[in-house]
Amino acid sequence: MGFLDEIKRRRTFGIISHPDAGKTTLTEKLLLFGGAIQEAGAVKSNKIKKTATSDFMEIERQRGISVATSVLAFIYRDKKINILDTPGHKDFAEDTFRTLTAVDSVIVVIDVAKGVEEQTEKLVEVCRMRNIPMIVFINKLDREGKDAFDLLDEVEQKLGLQVTPLSLPIGMGYDFKGIYNIWERNVQLFDGEQKQTIGEKAHFESLDDPQLEDAIGAQALETLKEELELIDGVYPKFDREAYLKGALQPVLFGSALNNFGVQELLNCFIEIAPEPLSKASEERLIEPHEDKFSGFVFKIHANMDPNHRDRLAFIKVVSGTFQRNSPYLHVRLNKKLKFSSPNTFFAERKEIVDTSYPGDIVGLHDTGNFKIGDTLTAGEQLHFRGIPSFSPEHFRYINNNDPMKAKQLAKGIDQLMDEGVAQLFTLNLNGRKVIGTVGALQFEVIQYRLLHEYGAKCTYENLNVHKACWIEGDEKSDAFKEFRRIKQKFLAQDKSGQLVFLADSAFSLQMAQDQYKKLQFHFTSEF
Ligand code: G4P
């Protein structure tokens, strides 16, 4: 198969949802259809169970699983599908945001009874800002839930999307009979006997099939026809261009647990979802079909085995092919590196791969060269954009608790920050180190990992910071100098030396923004 055909057959995407909406179940069912696994229950859930005795122990256990589920690849109807795992837990939202820089499209899973939930809103907002094509899958139709039209309204209003249904449920919960597939213009009926298996279901080529009325009853058929008319009148027709631009989101209904609507989702997905997209770098737009390799690191997984300092850097191939044993330029370090055992991911297995194509994810063993956002190329000076650090929301001073282990502590903190676990700030006034995280759980994770992986003990001390923001302005201006002087106590540097304002309250942040209008206050590190 030629290079261009290899690109065309790839679909790299993420599934996003609020925890418990059914992301893991759907992923597993997609793998089953792809023949990548043989039975349900094979994909271990990497979510943090509510029953966990101790959150951070649970996180450690999950870290082991999540390397296996980071990329789940399979072939379906000759398409190479790469599913990138996105943690649902809100304390790890930043991981998910970063992974979203490596996907070409997403599937949003919504629970029919709960509707649009908080985490879905946040994640969809990020996708909307980046115009990532989205398909919405409304799950758990076997349960009593909200009315389909109410849900479509809710999705439009809460998520700010323009939807168009591509399927419509016939009944719901106890009365759930099946689905009219607007996309394929046929009806599939739910066969209660065959829950849990991918079995045959009653299938009708059209609404006019006389046996359909016998199967679902005149009343349900009438309602279905009315609803379809309503859809015709109210929602825009599906338009692939609009979907690809992120301006229109198709919605499908189903039940992942019962394999209902899943294959229809997959069939629709492979037909409409984009092949690997071009990506902006600071220098220029990079097209996947360019012959020279380029890619970027969106995730680092470190120290799975405490006896070996092993780190796996996950690279998304943007253009050209990545070849084993070829020298590539690590742009930030201006250093050529060769990789003798790059990994590819297939279902839950890792394998050494000779050639990877745009859209693929390659796992590179790393001894500390990479950090998130790094660019690797065939020689060109490129810097990919779009992996910002977000303003953390929890802050603590970090102190060394064992003077003999200062070096280990510094190294451990450094590496954990490269992995993107948290952000480190150094106060301008006294050089004290402050850790900022998106979720409170990370503090436990850091303390635990520093001890177990680096033999370093740390303690924390509370610090009253409301939000960190990156400051930009003309350093020579009076306003900038005054800001530096007056706010001295609240200023710090991030790891790359950028100036950060650690505002102690929403009020003082607002005051500073009002007072220093010539300065820009950014809430992500990339501006
Ligand atoms: P997540 O990854 O989005 O967090 O969700 P996950 O797939 O783990 O699903 C959350 C719960 O919802 C699971 O039940 C799962 O079995 C159930 N579920 C998923 N899809 C459907 C569906 O279509 N219908 C119904 N009725 N339930 C569904 P659990 O009891 O929390 O976990 P488990 O013990 O079954 O693993």
Side-chain angles (χ1 to χ4, degrees):
M1 194 179 293
F3 175 52
L4 290 182
D5 292 330
E6 286 288 0
I7 299 177
K8 279 211 177 89
R9 71 196 277 256
R10 277 164 169 75
R11 301 284 181 278
T12 302
F13 75 106
I15 303 180
I16 56 175
S17 71
H18 193 86
D20 275 348
K23 182 168 70 77
T24 313
T25 312
L26 179 63
T27 306
E28 185 171 279
K29 295 301 162 80
L30 294 176
L31 291 175
L32 273 171
F33 280 111
I37 53 170
Q38 307 312 323
E39 56 183 315
V43 176
K44 292 175 205 78
S45 165
N46 73 349
K47 64 181 176 167
I48 293 164
K49 296 270 182 212
K50 292 163 230 97
T51 50
T53 41
S54 147
D55 273 329
F56 63 89
M57 284 304 289
E58 181 63 12
I59 290 162
E60 272 306 293
R61 195 181 68 77
Q62 303 298 356
R63 275 200 331 125
I65 295 172
S66 74
V67 107
T69 58
S70 286
V71 186
L72 294 162
F74 63 94
I75 310 277
Y76 180 75
R77 295 195 175 165
D78 204 38
K79 298 280 187 291
K80 162 105 192 276
I81 297 177
N82 295 314
I83 308 182
L84 306 195
D85 190 36
T86 53
H89 195 288
K90 73 176 183 357
D91 283 7
F92 295 89
E94 224 181 329
D95 263 3
T96 298
F97 295 148
R98 286 190 290 251
T99 299
L100 290 177
T101 63
V103 302
D104 296 308
S105 71
V106 303
I107 293 179
V108 184
V109 182
I110 291 173
D111 182 322
V112 70
K114 294 193 181 141
V116 172
E117 294 173 89
E118 186 196 342
Q119 209 45 24
T120 323
E121 279 186 60
K122 283 194 185 152
L123 295 170
V124 166
E125 195 186 331
V126 173
C127 296
R128 229 184 38 221
M129 272 161 30
R130 301 203 180 132
N131 301 320
I132 299 177
M134 286 181 255
I135 297 177
V136 178
F137 181 70
I138 305 217
N139 190 30
K140 308 197 186 180
L141 261 286
D142 57 311
R143 285 197 183 161
E144 235 23 83
K146 299 188 184 185
D147 170 75
F149 287 92
D150 289 349
L151 260 176
L152 291 170
D153 278 354
E154 189 176 326
V155 169
E156 288 204 326
Q157 277 156 25
K158 281 200 181 164
L159 300 179
L161 302 180
Q162 170 68 67
V163 302
T164 180
L166 289 188
S167 73
L168 196 64
I170 307 171
M172 185 185 295
Y174 187 72
D175 277 338
F176 182 47
K177 297 192 172 68
I179 285 176
Y180 179 73
N181 189 329
I182 300 172
W183 176 244
E184 291 176 356
R185 300 196 166 278
N186 56 30
V187 178
Q188 255 115 44
L189 293 192
F190 183 76
D191 184 347
E193 304 294 319
Q194 299 194 344
K195 281 187 179 185
Q196 311 282 350
T197 58
I198 303 175
E200 288 160 31
K201 327 166 251 235
H203 179 97
F204 299 91
E205 281 306 326
S206 88
L207 285 183
D208 303 326
D209 192 321
Q211 284 173 351
L212 179 61
E213 185 170 332
D214 295 343
I216 65 172
Q219 177 76 48
L221 185 60
E222 197 50 39
T223 310
L224 175 63
K225 284 183 175 166
E226 279 167 22
E227 288 180 344
L228 288 172
E229 259 175 45
L230 187 64
I231 287 178
D232 239 10
V234 173
Y235 294 98
K237 286 246 164 330
F238 176 72
D239 168 5
R240 184 159 184 249
E241 281 311 306
Y243 155 72
L244 291 178
K245 281 196 293 202
L248 182 66
Q249 286 77 25
V251 180
L252 291 116
F253 293 82
S255 163
L257 188 65
N258 297 295
N259 281 319
F260 216 76
V262 178
Q263 190 155 22
E264 290 72 16
L265 170 70
L266 188 55
N267 289 346
C268 172
F269 171 82
I270 57 166
E271 210 162 308
I272 68 171
E275 51 191 70
L277 302 173
S278 49
K279 190 159 178 78
S281 73
E282 276 169 29
E283 293 77 8
R284 63 186 186 86
L285 191 71
I286 317 297
E287 303 283 355
H289 56 258
E290 294 181 16
D291 55 353
K292 297 252 167 51
F293 163 74
S294 67
F296 65 94
V297 179
F298 66 94
K299 175 179 182 132
I300 290 177
H301 215 97
N303 300 345
M304 292 316 305
D305 176 356
N307 299 318
H308 301 98
R309 287 244 167 270
D310 61 331
R311 309 206 320 172
L312 204 56
F314 291 79
I315 311 252
K316 161 95 184 270
V317 180
V318 177
S319 67
T321 57
F322 180 95
Q323 305 282 352
R324 182 153 88 105
N325 283 324
S326 284
Y328 291 118
L329 177 68
H330 184 309
V331 176
R332 181 175 55 86
L333 301 180
N334 197 20
K335 192 161 128 184
K336 290 253 168 156
L337 299 173
K338 259 193 205 176
F339 303 91
S340 59
S341 51
N343 281 298
T344 181
F345 303 87
F346 204 80
E348 294 194 275
R349 284 179 287 122
K350 283 198 290 178
E351 278 168 15
I352 290 184
V353 62
D354 289 323
T355 308
S356 302
Y357 296 90
D360 281 341
I361 309 301
V362 191
L364 301 179
H365 288 280
D366 171 39
T367 48
N369 284 314
F370 286 117
K371 63 182 194 181
I372 287 172
D374 277 345
T375 303
L376 208 58
T377 71
E380 190 175 347
Q381 289 286 336
L382 294 176
H383 299 83
F384 283 108
R385 288 199 226 134
I387 309 212
S389 297
F390 289 81
S391 173
E393 296 185 5
H394 304 265
F395 300 84
R396 289 184 200 169
Y397 286 118
I398 182 161
N399 301 323
N400 183 8
N401 210 21
D402 181 353
M404 305 298 288
K405 297 278 172 68
K407 248 187 169 166
Q408 283 86 335
L409 185 74
K411 181 168 182 193
I413 293 178
D414 205 45
Q415 294 204 345
L416 293 185
M417 300 304 127
D418 283 353
E419 244 187 83
V421 177
Q423 293 175 57
L424 182 71
F425 303 102
T426 310
L427 287 185
N428 283 2
L429 200 62
N430 51 18
R432 287 193 73 180
K433 307 271 187 235
V434 172
I435 300 268
T437 66
V438 173
L441 265 183
Q442 264 91 335
F443 289 109
E444 285 180 66
V445 176
I446 293 169
Q447 200 167 35
Y448 178 88
R449 291 189 57 192
L450 283 173
L451 184 63
H452 288 83
E453 294 165 26
Y454 300 89
K457 284 191 190 142
C458 76
T459 54
Y460 297 117
E461 215 177 297
N462 281 338
L463 171 74
N464 181 28
V465 176
H466 162 69
K467 221 166 177 52
C469 49
W470 284 265
I471 303 295
E472 192 190 14
D474 175 5
E475 297 204 13
K476 294 198 186 83
S477 69
D478 288 343
F480 201 95
K481 286 183 189 153
E482 184 188 305
F483 177 77
R484 263 189 182 280
R485 187 166 46 78
I486 306 250
K487 298 291 177 195
Q488 193 183 24
K489 233 175 86 187
F490 304 99
L491 295 183
Q493 291 200 331
D494 73 0
K495 263 196 87 184
S496 60
Q498 292 194 81
L499 185 67
V500 179
F501 174 44
L502 303 177
D504 58 353
S505 66
F507 177 72
S508 72
L509 177 58
Q510 189 59 53
M511 289 279 288
Q513 281 176 302
D514 290 346
Q515 202 174 345
Y516 299 99
K517 291 212 179 328
K518 287 198 175 138
L519 303 185
Q520 275 142 39
F521 294 70
H522 299 282
F523 295 93
T524 66
S525 65
E526 196 174 72
F527 41 82

